[in-house]
């Protein structure tokens, strides 16, 4: 029997009675582990060895875990400091923190775990330590010490340490090799090592040597190092898919600034300047010079719409209107600022109906972070300008758009917007939880919006959430899994948006 040199070496190093791991065989043969693995798979396929696989888990302390194993958990240090400073009584939080020598994020970590572990109460800026608490019995502290010493710990405590990013778990597959009866017989009968080559060279072709050499067989099932290269983010993949769909539906793309004048962001939309959404609590105002490049005649018409209304029955808002506020710069809270720029003719010149435009761009809102809200997210903006449009045209557009993504259960709910009438919100059913989640807002632009812009026909418009479209497509229940510092990297690496 003739076998490649690596296989012969592995057979000679293997045993019929004792299992030998890949690492042990690599050391015995002086071959690379990946070379041994390839040889083992080939020998297994030929029935000369048997291979067993087991999965082992290694637990490693993070840098933060090592620090806490040496210095103590922040909540334990806070508790001991509270006892020392207050002699068992309530004490000011600042005084305790100073005595504990905690700093930076450790303070928040200590405070969040102090009450959870029963070390005491936190009330009105004071800490009241529980004198009966026993920090020496802290399971997490004991587990950190055990791991630092190389000992095993309870699985539930390990889960808690992992949730606090104090440990990382690594799984690895251990392969053990033993000679089969056929392998023993082959060794007894004698095996000749065949010199093999792993590539065909030009010199072999010209000399004819290729006819006499034995080429190495490639095992495509052999283990290989995992290579994680860069890839396009799933949100960008989805945005590109949305753009393809809308272009296919006859739309052209809009572009414009992320930081814009409040005039384009809100005033053109007939949003009163005292509207709650325009306060510093809900917008990101920028401390930069105001925008000068706004047509004066357009400012006059928008101001008139706000103060006096539009048409014979117009009444406007009975509230002040400031040109200085209108020219002030803020991060756009919606991409409808682009629609206003285009519909007014300021961006690409006067438009004649019919027209279809869209954008898929980032917007910024001072929202509370939760599974469906972020401070910045992507909005799918779109509008159609044409004669005699109706709500049925708008609904039909949504049904066609979402059908491209396999979403057919779209529901509509009447809504109020200062800038559209009629208006309605869109809802889709989450594929995992079954609950309805809001996915967008839409309506027909009011005369108070269109008339100052010089538009004399109907315009239907919408703003849809790209991240929530992703939730409906793939069943994510938390936007933060795909966006921001808490995102799930494995999910991002493995998910592909179908084109």
């Amino acid at each position: 029997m003739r076998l490649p040199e690596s296989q012969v070496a592995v057979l000679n190093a293997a045993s019929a009675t004792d299992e030998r791991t890949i690492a042990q065989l690599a050391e015995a043969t002086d071959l690379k582990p990946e070379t041994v693995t390839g040889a083992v798979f080939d020998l297994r396929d030929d029935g000369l060895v048997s291979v067993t696989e087991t999965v082992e888990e290694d637990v490693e302390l993070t840098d933060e875990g090592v620090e806490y194993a040496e210095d103590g958990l922040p909540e334990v240090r806070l508790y001991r400091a509270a006892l020392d400073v207050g002699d068992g009584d309530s004490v000011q939080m600042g005084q305790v923190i100073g005595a504990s020598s905690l700093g930076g994020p450790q303070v928040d970590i200590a405070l969040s775990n102090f009450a959870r572990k029963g070390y005491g109460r936190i009330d009105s800026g004071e800490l009241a330590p529980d004198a009966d608490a026993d920090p020496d019995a802290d399971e997490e502290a004991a587990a950190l010490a055990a791991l630092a010493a190389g000992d095993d710990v309870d699985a539930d405590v390990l889960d808690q340490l992992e949730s606090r990013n104090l440990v990382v778990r690594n799984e690895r597959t251990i392969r053990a090799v033993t000679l089969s009866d056929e392998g023993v017989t082959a060794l007894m009968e004698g095996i000749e090592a065949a010199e093999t080559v792993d590539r065909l060279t030009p010199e072999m072709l010209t000399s004819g040597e290729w006819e006499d050499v034995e080429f190495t067989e490639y095992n495509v099932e052999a283990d290989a190092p995992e290579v994680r290269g860069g890839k396009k983010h799933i949100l960008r993949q989805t945005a590109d898919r949305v753009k393809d769909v809308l272009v296919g539906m006859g739309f052209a793309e809009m572009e414009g600034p992320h930081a814009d004048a409040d005039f384009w962001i809100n005033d053109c939309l007939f949003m009163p300047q005292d509207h709650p959404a325009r306060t510093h609590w809900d917008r990101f105002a920028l401390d930069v010079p105001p925008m000068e490049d706004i047509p004066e005649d357009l400012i006059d018409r928008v101001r008139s719409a706000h103060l006096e209304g539009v048409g014979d029955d117009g009444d406007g808002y009975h509230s002040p209107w400031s040109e200085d506020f209108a020219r002030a710069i803020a991060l756009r809270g919606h991409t409808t600022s682009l629609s206003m720029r285009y519909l007014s003719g300021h961006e690409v010149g006067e438009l004649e109906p019919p027209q279809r435009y869209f954008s898929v761009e980032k917007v910024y809102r001072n929202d509370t972070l939760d599974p469906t809200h972020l401070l910045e997210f992507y909005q799918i903006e779109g509008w159609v300008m044409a004669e005699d449009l109706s709500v049925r045209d708008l609904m039909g557009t949504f049904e066609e758009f979402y059908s491209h993504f396999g979403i057919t259960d779209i529901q509509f709910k009447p809504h109020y917007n200062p800038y559209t009438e009629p208006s309605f919100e869109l809802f889709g059913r989450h594929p995992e939880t079954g609950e309805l989640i809001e996915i967008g807002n839409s309506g027909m632009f009011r005369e108070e919006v269109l008339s100052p812009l010089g538009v004399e026909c109907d315009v239907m418009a919408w703003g849809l959430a790209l991240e929530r479209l992703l939730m409906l497509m793939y069943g994510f229940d938390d936007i933060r899994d795909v966006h921001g510092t808490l995102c799930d990297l494995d999910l991002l690496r493995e998910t592909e948006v179908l084109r």
Side-chain angles (χ1 to χ4, degrees), residues 284-450:
F284 293 107
L286 303 182
D287 186 13
V288 297
M291 182 171 290
E292 301 294 337
D293 182 26
I294 303 176
E296 292 292 341
D297 58 336
L298 180 57
I299 289 180
D300 291 340
R301 294 196 299 270
V302 170
R303 177 195 292 113
S304 175
H306 278 252
L307 298 178
E308 303 167 9
V310 172
D312 296 337
D313 298 325
D315 193 23
Y317 296 117
H318 298 282
S319 60
W321 193 89
S322 166
E323 183 174 335
D324 290 339
F325 187 18
R327 291 184 181 273
I329 308 298
L331 294 178
R332 63 191 183 198
H334 44 214
T335 45
T336 315
S337 57
L338 305 182
S339 299
M340 298 298 99
R341 284 174 166 269
Y342 275 69
L343 285 168
S344 69
H346 180 74
E347 203 70 23
V348 292
E350 187 173 347
L351 298 174
E352 294 293 333
Q355 299 286 342
R356 297 184 182 93
Y357 275 90
F358 81 95
S359 72
V360 185
E361 292 287 348
K362 187 172 286 189
V363 298
Y364 311 87
R365 296 183 186 175
N366 195 8
D367 281 335
T368 300
L369 294 176
D370 63 30
T372 59
H373 293 86
L374 296 171
L375 297 181
E376 55 183 72
F377 58 94
Y378 286 90
Q379 187 172 49
I380 307 169
E381 175 85 8
W383 53 267
V384 176
M385 171 201 291
E387 301 288 349
D388 301 323
L389 291 174
S390 71
V391 168
R392 295 305 305 172
D393 297 309
L394 188 53
M395 290 179 171
T397 300
F398 291 137
E399 289 175 353
E400 179 181 352
F401 170 75
Y402 281 105
S403 69
H404 288 273
F405 301 91
I407 300 169
T408 57
D409 185 16
I410 299 297
Q411 299 188 27
F412 305 99
K413 172 186 173 184
H415 185 60
Y416 167 76
N417 294 317
Y419 39 86
T420 55
E421 180 60 38
S423 312
F424 55 84
E425 294 175 324
L426 286 78
F427 291 82
R429 193 168 298 281
H430 194 281
E432 298 296 332
T433 65
E435 64 178 323
L436 289 174
I437 60 173
E438 181 187 349
I439 56 177
N441 194 359
S442 64
M444 308 293 293
F445 275 139
R446 293 171 57 134
E447 186 179 3
E448 290 88 346
V449 174
L450 298 178

Side-chain angles (χ1 to χ4, degrees), residues 64 68 74-75 78 93 97 100 102-116 122 164:
E64 187 179 5
Y68 294 167
E75 58 270 23
L78 187 70
M93 186 183 302
I97 292 173
S100 67
L102 295 172
Q106 290 185 354
V107 174
D108 293 332
I109 293 171
L111 293 174
S112 65
N113 289 286
F114 184 83
R116 176 179 71 85
I122 301 175
R164 295 182 63 174

Side-chain angles (χ1 to χ4, degrees), residues 2-158:
R2 285 168 55 87
L3 292 174
E5 291 178 337
S6 61
Q7 294 184 29
V8 173
V10 169
L11 276 178
N12 286 321
S15 168
T17 56
D18 298 324
E19 289 186 333
R20 304 279 168 81
T21 65
I22 295 293
Q24 291 171 332
L25 291 174
E27 183 178 359
T29 59
D30 200 25
L31 295 173
K32 294 180 179 179
E34 54 267 31
T35 302
V36 172
T37 301
V40 164
F41 281 140
D42 289 334
L43 292 169
R44 182 194 62 184
D45 293 342
D46 292 337
L48 300 178
V49 299
S50 61
V51 181
T52 59
E53 295 183 351
T54 57
V55 177
E56 291 187 357
E57 181 181 75
D58 292 332
V59 180
E60 182 181 359
L61 292 176
T62 63
D63 291 342
E64 187 179 5
V66 171
E67 179 183 354
Y68 294 167
E70 295 174 352
D71 301 337
L73 288 167
E75 58 270 23
V76 173
R77 292 165 60 187
L78 187 70
Y79 174 73
R80 295 190 190 280
L83 287 179
D84 292 341
V85 173
D87 197 23
D89 297 328
S90 296
V91 63
Q92 288 294 322
M93 186 183 302
Q95 189 177 0
V96 178
I97 292 173
S100 67
S101 300
L102 295 172
Q106 290 185 354
V107 174
D108 293 332
I109 293 171
L111 293 174
S112 65
N113 289 286
F114 184 83
R116 176 179 71 85
K117 291 188 173 181
Y119 286 133
R121 295 179 294 101
I122 301 175
D123 187 24
S124 300
E126 291 189 346
L127 269 73
D130 183 351
D132 294 329
D134 183 7
D136 293 329
D138 191 301
E139 291 183 338
E140 293 174 19
L144 285 177
L147 290 172
D151 299 328
D152 295 331
V153 300
D154 179 76
D156 291 336
V157 180
L158 192 61

